[in-house]
């Protein structure tokens, strides 16, 4: 029995993970579930899966949950605070951890799981954007296995030879005969909209992704294609790739989830309906295959598959993140922090869509040369970049 801790259990990836667990009860049980403050959803999770522990980031939410569980006669222990997130991620009781908190908040608990040598199913790309080399080094040192969950990276994982699948973070692409990793992306909801009208788009339009159903933050990142830029950085670390060997292609139908080019001209692709339960099931069951609940793809009703080059005028955030990846870890951390602040301001109606780029670019400028060798350095950059981003926000609202 694989006892799983699900970090971010009340979110989009968390819900899909719980569905995969639900469908495969002979293989998986829930050891712990965590959330920021969604008490009603956590109550449902505890009632269904009976985990040993539930963690709410906010103490008030934890108190409310404790009361409700006592009323229902349920024994799950309720903890609160960020230390508790790391504790259930690192617990001896858990075999594996689904890392599905959104944003920088996912870094510490995910690293806690890594340093205990757990198998980590990695959806929280932000932790790699912030701490790439530290993360990968820790995984090697503590013999933790990283399995990519992000659909593109999971697709690439599936197209790799077994030897490389066994050394995620330390792959040797050249030895494997690989010439390029090809990341596909739908281009988001605004791929055909007049560029001059992008400053007017609303949060509701931005979170309505044409193909995938996701949390609000990553949906906005998909609309700016900052998400694809982050995935470029994520691919660099997961597959030990030179940024020159990663290609981004816009593929509006989201049928091909990413590809690997080999020296002999072969290109391997992973194809399926856009449903995160497929990469989650692949990650959790690897090397086996299990039921994920995803529908079978119907090729005859697909029509055509199309591809185009990304237009950096439409997607300046994509270029910003790709350039940051070539420059330094400090820069990718700063872009991530500024983006988090900017996306929240946009969702709150305080920032224009196109100024997400402005905030990220103006913030990033000052951090290129900052030292980013330790976790402490990275957290300092994250904090300083957030402060800088808030002051850019203020300038823009004047
Ligand atoms: P979501 O917003 O739906 O859920 C986020 C989860 O994290 C929730 O359980 C929430 O309670 C928790 N959380 C939020 N802030 C927190 C904090 N400060 N401390 C502790 N917990 C906190 O997000 P999502 O779409 O499920 O995405 C989760 C992660 O997976 C992100 O890193 C995202 O980039 C990545 N990802 C998501 C998808 C997708 O399809 N949704 C695909 C690929 C990668
Ligand atoms: Mg993705």
């Amino acid at each position: 029995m694989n006892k799983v801790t699900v970090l971010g259990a009340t979110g989009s990836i968390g819900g899909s993970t719980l569905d995969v667990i639900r469908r495969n009860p002979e293989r998986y049980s829930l050891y712990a579930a965590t959330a920021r403050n969604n008490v009603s959803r956590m109550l449902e999770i505890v009632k269904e899966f009976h985990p040993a522990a539930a963690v709410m980031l906010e103490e008030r939410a934890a108190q409310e949950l404790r009361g409700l569980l006592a009323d229902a006669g349920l024994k799950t222990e309720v903890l609160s605070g960020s230390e508790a997130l790391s504790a259930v991620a690192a617990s001896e009781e858990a075999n594996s951890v689904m890392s599905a908190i959104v944003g920088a908040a996912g870094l510490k608990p995910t690293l806690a799981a890594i340093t205990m040598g757990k198998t980590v199913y990695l959806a929280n790309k932000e932790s790699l954007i912030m701490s790439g080399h530290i993360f990968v080094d820790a995984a090697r040192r503590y013999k933790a296995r990283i399995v990519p969950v992000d659909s593109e990276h999971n697709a690439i994982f599936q197209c790799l030879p077994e030897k490389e699948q066994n050394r995620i973070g330390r792959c040797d692409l050249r030895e494997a005969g690989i010439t390029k990793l090809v990341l596909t992306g739908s281009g988001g909801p605004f791929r055909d909209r007049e560029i001059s009208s992008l400053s007017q788009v609303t949060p509701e339009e931005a979170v309505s992704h044409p193909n995938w159903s996701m949390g609000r933050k990553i949906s906005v990142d998909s609309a700016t294609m900052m998400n694809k830029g982050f995935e470029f950085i994520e691919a660099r670390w997961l597959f030990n790739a030179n940024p020159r060997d990663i290609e981004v292609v816009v593929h509006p139908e989201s049928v091909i989830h990413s590809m690997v080019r080999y020296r002999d001209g072969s290109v391997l692709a992973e194809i399926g309906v856009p449903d995160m339960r497929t990469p989650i099931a692949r990650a959790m069951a690897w090397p086996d295959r299990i039921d994920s609940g995803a529908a079978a793809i119907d090729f005859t009703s697909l029509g055509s598959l199309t591809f185009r080059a990304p237009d950096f005028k439409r997607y300046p955030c994509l270029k910003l993140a790709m350039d940051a990846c070539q420059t330094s870890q400090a820069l990718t951390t700063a872009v991530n922090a500024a983006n988090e602040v900017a996306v929240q301001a946009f969702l709150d109606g305080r920032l224009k869509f196109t100024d997400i780029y402005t905030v990220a670019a103006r913030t990033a400028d000052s951090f290129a040369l900052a030292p980013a060798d330790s976790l402490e350095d990275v957290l300092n950059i994250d904090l300083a970049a957030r402060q800088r981003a808030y002051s850019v926000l203020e300038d823009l609202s004047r």
Side-chain angles (χ1 to χ4, degrees):
M1 181 63 73
N2 179 345
K3 291 203 241 167
V4 189
T5 287
V6 180
L7 300 171
T10 57
S12 164
I13 293 287
S16 295
T17 303
L18 292 173
D19 193 46
V20 171
I21 293 176
R22 176 184 294 124
R23 287 165 185 279
N24 297 277
E26 69 298 344
R27 289 184 71 119
Y28 307 104
S29 67
L30 184 65
Y31 166 68
T34 83
R36 182 168 58 188
N37 57 14
N38 189 340
V39 174
S40 56
R41 177 68 194 120
M42 187 59 93
L43 179 63
E44 289 171 19
I45 292 172
V46 173
K47 281 185 174 163
E48 180 178 355
F49 294 93
H50 302 279
V55 181
M56 305 303 292
L57 180 70
E58 296 173 12
E59 170 55 24
R60 228 182 27 193
Q63 268 173 15
E64 192 185 335
L65 183 65
R66 274 184 208 109
L68 293 166
L69 292 185
D71 293 347
L74 290 162
K75 301 269 180 292
T76 295
E77 183 183 12
V78 180
L79 306 164
S80 70
S82 55
E83 295 301 316
L85 293 176
S86 293
V88 294
S91 169
E92 295 278 346
E93 297 290 317
N95 305 102
S96 60
V97 173
M98 169 59 70
S99 167
I101 289 173
V102 61
L107 174 59
K108 275 191 177 169
T110 307
L111 265 182
I114 293 276
T115 51
M116 287 301 285
K118 306 273 175 215
T119 294
V120 174
Y121 314 122
L122 187 69
N124 175 265
K125 64 193 84 181
E126 294 90 343
S127 52
L128 267 184
I129 314 298
M130 293 173 70
S131 77
H133 66 283
I134 300 167
F135 196 96
V136 163
D137 286 352
R140 189 187 50 222
R141 171 139 32 112
Y142 298 103
K143 299 192 169 40
R145 181 187 286 282
I146 307 170
V147 196
V149 168
D150 207 349
S151 59
E152 295 74 6
H153 307 74
N154 188 270
I156 289 170
F157 173 80
Q158 297 201 45
C159 298
L160 293 178
E162 193 183 338
K163 185 172 180 189
E164 306 310 322
Q165 292 178 322
N166 270 308
R167 50 179 183 184
I168 292 304
R170 296 174 285 121
C171 299
D172 187 335
L173 299 184
R174 216 158 293 274
E175 186 188 303
I178 292 167
T179 53
K180 291 255 183 206
L181 304 178
V182 186
L183 290 173
T184 56
S186 71
F190 308 135
R191 64 175 172 252
D192 295 317
R193 195 186 282 235
E194 195 69 52
I195 293 183
S196 63
S197 73
L198 288 179
S199 61
Q200 308 303 321
V201 306
T202 65
E204 285 325 304
E205 290 173 305
V207 299
S208 312
H209 196 278
N211 307 339
W212 296 91
S213 155
M214 310 181 283
R216 287 166 73 79
K217 191 255 178 184
I218 185 175
S219 295
V220 176
D221 289 346
S222 298
T224 59
M225 279 192 91
M226 182 68 95
N227 182 52
K228 207 54 55 184
F230 286 166
E231 291 180 352
F232 185 94
I233 303 165
E234 186 185 8
R236 182 250 174 284
W237 292 114
L238 285 174
F239 307 115
N240 191 23
N242 189 312
R244 277 196 309 275
D245 299 337
I246 310 171
E247 206 178 316
V248 174
V249 176
V250 174
H251 166 45
E253 295 81 13
S254 298
V255 167
I256 295 178
H257 300 140
S258 279
M259 301 181 265
V260 176
R261 288 184 194 271
Y262 285 86
R263 188 182 290 150
D264 58 8
S266 302
V267 180
L268 302 194
E270 190 268 337
I271 294 176
V273 295
D275 184 328
M276 286 307 294
R277 290 175 301 178
T278 297
I280 289 168
R282 184 72 198 117
M284 288 176 56
W286 185 86
D288 299 342
R289 297 273 181 182
I290 55 171
D291 171 37
S292 73
I297 196 161
D298 173 7
F299 287 103
T300 56
S301 67
L302 268 184
S304 55
L305 299 185
T306 60
F307 304 92
R308 35 179 129 149
D311 172 359
F312 292 133
K313 283 207 202 65
R314 180 178 296 280
Y315 303 115
C317 288
L318 171 61
K319 180 84 167 60
L320 182 70
M322 287 170 64
D323 287 347
C325 182
Q326 315 260 12
T327 311
S328 68
Q329 180 87 69
L331 208 50
T332 61
T333 302
V335 169
N336 179 65
N339 180 65
E340 238 175 271
V341 170
V343 168
Q344 191 57 55
F346 168 69
L347 287 171
D348 295 343
R350 292 181 285 117
L351 187 73
K352 282 195 295 201
F353 180 74
T354 40
D355 278 339
I356 294 172
Y357 168 75
T358 317
V359 173
R362 285 196 199 165
T363 301
D365 259 1
S366 13
F367 290 91
L369 299 176
D373 302 321
S374 65
L375 184 60
E376 198 188 355
D377 290 345
V378 164
L379 293 173
N380 284 338
I381 295 170
D382 178 73
L383 190 66
R386 277 164 208 273
Q387 284 161 353
R388 170 101 183 102
Y390 284 121
S391 76
V392 177
L393 273 182
E394 255 173 49
D395 288 350
L396 287 172
S397 64
R398 274 205 202 108

